[in-house]
Each structure stands twice: as structure tokens, then as C-alpha cells.
Amino acid sequence: LYDTASALSRVLDVEEVAKKIVAEAHRFLRAGEAALYLLDRRGERLDPIASAGATAGSISLGTALSGGE
């Protein structure tokens, strides 16, 4: 984790930081898929800003997720 934090401290681009966080979490947790979402400006939807293992789609708030999502 120290190495990850050190590497992130040198990156200023938010999207690049998000990609590095997701990639490290994906590797560390040995997950099949990982994604990081941001709430949109209207507060109605979660939009993926980075993913690993699969392409993530937007999630409308109030939407129930099925198992494995």
C-alpha cells in the first residue's frame, strides 16, 4: 500500500489516479472486476471513471443491483 500511495502522490490527473486505484484494488483483492464511480452533477446517477476486468456502465440511483454487480 505504501508503494501505491507513493506512486499516486506523483500523479495530478484525477482520471489517472482513479485508474491506478482501481488497478491496484483489482490486483490486491484478486477480484474478477473492479470499478470506481462518481456521482453526477445532478445527483441522479453514478458514472464510472475507471474499471478493471470489465467495462462498467452508469447506474441510476434507486436501481437495485443483482448479485455479482
Side-chain angles (χ1 to χ4, degrees):
L1 292 177
Y2 175 80
D3 292 338
T4 301
S6 178
L8 290 175
S9 69
R10 294 187 296 269
V11 178
L12 298 178
D13 180 51
V14 173
E15 288 184 22
E16 188 64 27
V17 170
K19 288 177 186 177
K20 288 182 181 293
I21 289 170
V22 169
E24 191 62 23
H26 184 251
R27 184 192 65 78
F28 181 76
L29 297 172
R30 297 183 180 137
E33 300 173 356
L36 182 61
Y37 291 82
L38 275 180
L39 188 61
D40 74 342
R41 292 186 188 271
R42 294 186 313 214
E44 298 174 353
R45 190 178 66 234
L46 293 171
D47 293 323
I49 59 169
S51 63
T55 302
S58 294
I59 300 171
S60 295
L61 294 183
T63 301
L65 299 178
S66 61
E69 291 188 300

